[in-house]
Amino acid sequence: MARNDAAHKEETAVTRLAGVRQKLAAAAREAGRDPAAVTLIAVSKTFDAEAILPVLEVGQRVFGENRVQEAQGKWPALKEHFADIELHLIGPLQTNKVKEALALFDVMHTLDREKLARALVKEREKGASLPRLFVQVNTGEEEQKAGLLPAEVDDFIASCKGEWQIEVEGLMCIPPVDEEPALHFALLEKIARRNGLEKLSMGMSGDYETAIACGATHVRVGSAIFGSRTRP
Ligand SMILES: *Cc1c(COP(=O)(O)O)cnc(C)c1O
């Protein structure tokens, strides 16, 4: 394709995805890391199956949703056509939705309280297998935000390992909008390291390259792939 054609090509979720993948790989190499060590979670919240399909067709398989009910409305049908989809829950989970969440999601990034941990244990006792789990940390200690306070994380992880026998894979954070994200990413990395956790879910459309420089293993990118949303 001629250079001009490429420049004038319409921007779509597919072309934006390719751009994000390129930047992700460049950021990883820049940090001396293997690009394959960073999982790109395409955050498809608010977008319907029609918008998601082209991205599936070019091979993206890892997706993030923040609401159980919304995910239930579009993913079961898509999963029938693409058997290897990996679905990540990145939004807060109410305990009365745990059963439904377990049926749909492969990974949960928002384990953030004892009540939720106990609800997971209860479902496991009834025969459910638990998803891969990240503990959400409120690194900015913001009142309105979900997640454990940094000072609470060590005890919580210890309870997961001990009392509840829940395997935690890593930590997740959403930095405050008006602060330097690298400080929060570094804090999350430090808490993970002292707890022996290897996975870090951090970085969104505006800061995923920074997050990769700070050690992110999972970046959650929505609008940079699907375009802007009418609600968060
Ligand atoms: C919406 C959302 C994202 C993606 O945000 P973008 O800025 O669109 O990339 C990432 N993480 C969480 C928890 C979200 O709710």
Side-chain angles (χ1 to χ4, degrees), residues 115-162:
K115 194 177 171 202
L116 182 53
R118 291 191 184 279
L120 290 170
V121 168
K122 209 164 148 195
E123 289 305 318
R124 185 181 59 199
E125 282 165 357
K126 288 194 261 175
S129 49
L130 297 191
R132 291 160 49 201
L133 292 165
F134 286 74
V135 166
Q136 184 175 355
V137 184
N138 185 358
T139 57
E141 310 199 12
E142 295 172 281
E143 206 138 289
Q144 80 286 6
K145 208 167 261 179
L148 292 157
L149 296 174
E152 300 171 331
V153 179
D154 296 8
D155 283 348
F156 187 80
I157 299 288
S159 296
C160 286
K161 283 184 190 160

Side-chain angles (χ1 to χ4, degrees), residues 146-196:
L148 292 157
L149 296 174
E152 300 171 331
V153 179
D154 296 8
D155 283 348
F156 187 80
I157 299 288
S159 296
C160 286
K161 283 184 190 160
E163 193 182 347
W164 307 320
Q165 302 276 301
I166 291 176
E167 194 180 330
V168 173
E169 186 164 298
L171 302 180
M172 176 272 222
C173 77
I174 309 168
V177 285
D178 52 352
E179 287 181 30
E180 170 55 50
L183 300 174
H184 294 272
F185 298 153
L187 174 59
L188 196 72
E189 194 275 336
K190 192 176 101 181
I191 300 171
R193 186 149 30 90
R194 74 171 180 240
N195 282 284

Side-chain angles (χ1 to χ4, degrees), residues 68 72 89 93 97-106 108 131:
V68 175
Q72 277 177 320
L89 177 65
L93 180 59
K97 295 261 176 65
V98 164
K99 195 176 170 177
E100 285 142 300
L102 291 185
L104 192 57
F105 289 96
D106 304 288
M108 247 181 64

Side-chain angles (χ1 to χ4, degrees), residues 80-97:
E80 276 181 25
H81 293 279
F82 300 88
D84 51 349
I85 285 170
E86 185 179 288
L87 215 49
H88 292 238
L89 177 65
I90 60 169
L93 180 59
Q94 302 302 316
T95 46
N96 62 2
K97 295 261 176 65

Side-chain angles (χ1 to χ4, degrees), residues 65-80:
E65 290 282 346
N66 68 337
R67 295 181 184 183
V68 175
Q69 210 167 345
E70 182 190 335
Q72 277 177 320
K74 53 188 169 182
W75 285 101
L78 291 168
K79 279 185 161 190
E80 276 181 25

